[in-house]
Amino acid sequence: MKSQKLWCSILTVLYGFLKSCAFLLVGGVAIAGTILAVSVYYESPMIWDLGVSFVKHFYFGLVAGFLIHEIAHALLLSITMRELKDIRTESSFARFSIIASGRSTGRGIFVTAMGGPVAAAAFGFFMNVVSSNFDLFAWYFLHLFFLLPLFGDGRAIIFGIRHWRSVVDIGE
């Protein structure tokens, strides 16, 4: 039962991310396609390199970083929550997040909030160590800024510390 909820939460995050960021992903394809078409038309290797660099940084840096971040949250929610009722996605123009409803301890909320940014940064660090030519580390490292109280993860960390041992209802 736990593994079924785990996969269900991951699929919910993937579907919500693709649905909410479709305009961003399609826009990236349009920009990259235009740059690459212009480079082929003018036979310019410099413009081609610009287009490839854009695709690499946009999709493998920005988009993949947020996917890893949010999937880590979903995995940890499925593992740490005492009673997980539902996971839903919430998005606006410049924001994508997942919201769970159910019961959890403060410690579980803390671990879940830390998990997203730390997983993204750890992935970036791992790729930087494994591949000497991995120049996307900054995209993944920047996720650590979400641990500041200005952002939702930072506020959740503070909430988790305040209610460390108690069981709280969330998302209701």
Side-chain angles (χ1 to χ4, degrees):
M1 182 65 182
K2 196 82 161 167
S3 65
Q4 183 181 5
K5 279 209 182 255
L6 187 73
W7 285 109
C8 194
S9 62
I10 290 172
L11 290 175
T12 300
V13 170
L14 285 173
Y15 175 72
F17 186 81
L18 291 174
K19 189 173 83 171
S20 65
C21 297
F23 72 94
L24 186 66
L25 299 172
V26 170
V29 168
I31 292 170
T34 303
I35 292 171
L36 296 175
V38 166
S39 72
V40 168
Y41 181 77
Y42 288 110
E43 298 177 2
S44 171
M46 184 184 78
I47 298 175
W48 177 265
D49 290 342
L50 176 69
V52 170
S53 181
F54 173 80
V55 168
K56 182 172 84 173
H57 283 275
F58 185 74
Y59 288 107
F60 298 111
L62 182 68
V63 173
F66 278 107
L67 269 176
I68 291 168
H69 180 127
E70 295 301 333
I71 287 174
H73 281 316
L75 286 171
L76 290 168
L77 276 172
S78 298
I79 294 169
T80 62
M81 285 193 67
R82 291 199 174 196
E83 180 185 323
L84 178 61
K85 293 180 183 173
D86 185 33
I87 291 181
R88 63 185 191 280
T89 58
E90 182 180 276
S91 62
S92 63
F93 177 69
R95 183 173 170 266
F96 175 81
S97 61
I98 59 173
I99 299 172
S101 59
R103 297 172 59 82
S104 182
T105 61
R107 182 178 56 232
I109 294 169
F110 175 83
V111 168
T112 300
M114 287 286 289
V118 170
F123 177 79
F125 178 75
F126 173 75
M127 291 303 294
N128 197 36
V129 168
V130 169
S131 172
S132 61
N133 200 17
F134 187 74
D135 58 345
L136 302 174
F137 176 68
W139 287 109
Y140 295 95
F141 179 76
L142 286 174
H143 284 266
L144 292 177
F145 285 104
F146 289 112
L147 297 174
L148 296 173
L150 178 66
F151 301 103
D153 290 338
R155 288 191 299 270
I157 288 170
I158 292 171
F159 182 82
I161 290 171
R162 283 187 185 155
H163 302 292
W164 189 260
R165 295 195 191 277
S166 60
V167 177
V168 292
D169 291 326
I170 58 171
E172 309 219 358

